[in-house]
Every structure is written in structure tokens, then in C-alpha cells.
Amino acid sequence: MKRLVVIFFIGFLAVGALAQQSVDIGIFGGAGTYFGDMTNFDLMKSVKPTYGSFIRYNFNPRYALRLNVLSGKIGAIGEVTTKPWNFEKSVLDISFQFEFNYFKYIVGDKETPFSSYIFAGIGMQTYNYEKDSLKLEPIVDQTYFPKTDAPGRVITPTIPFGIGFKVNLSKRIGLGFEGGFRKSFSDKLDNLDDPLSYTIYPEDIQIKYTDPLHNNDWTSYMGVHLVYKLFYGYKEWEIKTSQKNILDWGIRNKSRKQ
């Protein structure tokens, strides 16, 4: 929790230092799950609670940049090559996400009451990799053990993307619903570091599957966020065109007395 607060505070200072057009802050509550090497896993038992916060810099009613921090448990109960397998661990997810609003949207503005949106960006995840040799023995070839990494802390890049919906509740408060995925560049989240990577086939042919671009670990998050418009900056937007003209920016700045 302390790391979450520190990261969010640093991001707040960094974004707040800009001559911002508009800045929102928000909190997130929902659930996260996993998709990877495991099969026949119980999805209901593999959904874990997740919480987080974010700060969003709005360039205009269409485009925004968001620093997003999520923390929670990720786990699953299922099988690997018909053998039982399970894991659960704490995962910290940090990302910069670019948002595009399908309709023009400003928190609290009566002319822009709601919008669907898409997002994508870059990020990272960190968690502990646990290598349990006793559990792995029935699943992997024995040549697997001396060639894989030792257990320890993992920091891996991610590609986040997803969709959502925003709606205004008051002049400064908004509500959002969001679902998205994180493509990971590590295969250690489920404590199965490419379990078929070092299998020896007949005629002493070794097939190596390890590839950071094509591993099997993904995470998915879904939930609700509550947003508060922190400040407008020194300018406000005036919507010149109706919301139905979604491909027209229809925006101009006009000076605002503070």
C-alpha cells in the first residue's frame, strides 16, 4: 500500500507541474484474473479483488493521458498437462495509458454528459516468481530445472489496452466502468516459466518454446472508477459542435477568469 501511495504522489507532482488544461484524479475498485499456461481452471475461483488509483491529464475533450496504478491478488486453480496446479500472488501494475473518447467528454460539463472510450499504452508489472520443484516434477522434463531462472522478484513490461464508459454525476464527479487486458513479456506469473521449453523429444531433439514475444501470460482487470475533477487549469473548453459530430474536434479555448 505504501508503494501505491508513493507512486501515485510522484505521478501527481509530475503531471501537476505542467500548464495543464484539465486534471482528474480517481480511485478504482474491481477484480483481476489471469490467462496463461493453465487449462481447465475455475474462472469463478480465479477472480481476485483489485484496487487502485489514477491521475488523468486531459489535452481536450477527446484525448487524455493517464497514470494508472493497480494492486491486488492474481491467482488461479486448474491444471497443467492434466496435472493439478494453482497459484496466488500480489501483483503491482503501473501504466501510462492514452485515452480516446468516442464522444466529447469533460467531467462535470452538461454538454458532455457521457462517452464510451478506448485506451492503450505501456506499463510494467512486478511480483514474486516462486519455483516449486516438487510440484513441477510431474509436469516438466528433468532438463528444465538447471536451465530456468531462480525464484525471485520479477519486473516485466506490459501492453495495456481496453474499453470503458464514463458518465457525469455532478459538476466535479464522474463515474466510469472499465475492462481491459495486460499483455506481459514474462511467463512467470503462474510460476510456470514456459513448462515445455526444455522438453527432449525422440532422437535427442530439444524444442525450446521460450520467447518473450509469444509467451502465454496475460492479466485482465474489470471494475468501476470514481473520478473527481481536480482543477481546470487556466483555460476552459467551449464545445462548438454537437456531440453527434464525433469526428470533429469542435473545440476552442477561451480565457477563463479564476
Side-chain angles (χ1 to χ4, degrees), residues 64-248:
L65 182 64
R66 183 172 77 180
L67 171 64
N68 200 74
V69 182
L70 297 176
S71 181
K73 297 285 187 181
I74 294 291
I77 299 173
E79 298 177 352
V80 179
T81 63
T82 71
K83 302 294 192 301
W85 190 265
N86 65 84
F87 78 97
E88 182 176 309
K89 61 184 63 178
S90 296
V91 177
L92 179 64
D93 183 283
I94 306 169
S95 60
F96 282 99
Q97 301 172 7
F98 180 80
E99 290 185 11
F100 171 74
N101 296 324
Y102 187 69
F103 297 108
K104 300 180 182 75
Y105 179 79
I106 304 171
V107 175
D109 194 306
K110 292 182 179 180
E111 295 184 51
T112 60
F114 62 86
S115 179
S116 55
Y117 66 96
I118 58 174
F119 68 87
I122 57 172
M124 58 154 283
Q125 285 182 342
T126 180
Y127 50 82
N128 282 322
Y129 166 53
E130 302 167 5
K131 184 178 176 181
D132 191 329
S133 298
L134 291 177
K135 287 178 63 177
L136 286 166
E137 278 183 358
I139 298 171
V140 301
D141 189 275
Q142 294 304 304
T143 56
Y144 173 90
F145 295 105
K147 296 179 180 179
T148 52
D149 295 335
R153 196 72 182 171
V154 173
I155 300 176
T156 178
T158 62
I159 299 177
F161 59 93
I163 60 174
F165 181 81
K166 309 171 183 176
V167 62
N168 288 332
L169 298 181
S170 69
K171 290 183 178 180
R172 284 191 175 268
I173 297 176
L175 184 69
F177 307 89
E178 181 176 292
F181 292 90
R182 306 292 193 273
K183 162 64 175 172
S184 174
F185 288 83
S186 171
D187 199 40
K188 298 177 180 177
L189 178 61
D190 50 14
N191 299 325
L192 293 163
D193 187 10
D194 295 317
L196 302 179
S197 294
Y198 303 99
T199 302
I200 303 298
Y201 288 90
E203 301 179 358
D204 294 328
I205 298 175
Q206 178 177 299
I207 305 298
K208 188 173 186 296
Y209 294 91
T210 303
D211 184 348
L213 294 178
H214 301 94
N215 67 75
N216 294 321
D217 284 354
W218 292 68
T219 48
S220 176
Y221 297 99
M222 182 174 292
V224 178
H225 61 252
L226 190 66
V227 181
Y228 177 76
K229 177 177 279 187
L230 194 61
F231 41 76
Y232 289 84
Y234 299 101
K235 294 179 180 179
E236 67 178 4
W237 292 299
E238 180 178 310
I239 307 301
K240 297 191 299 180
T241 57
S242 63
Q243 197 174 52
K244 66 182 180 180
N245 298 326
I246 62 173
L247 297 181
D248 180 6

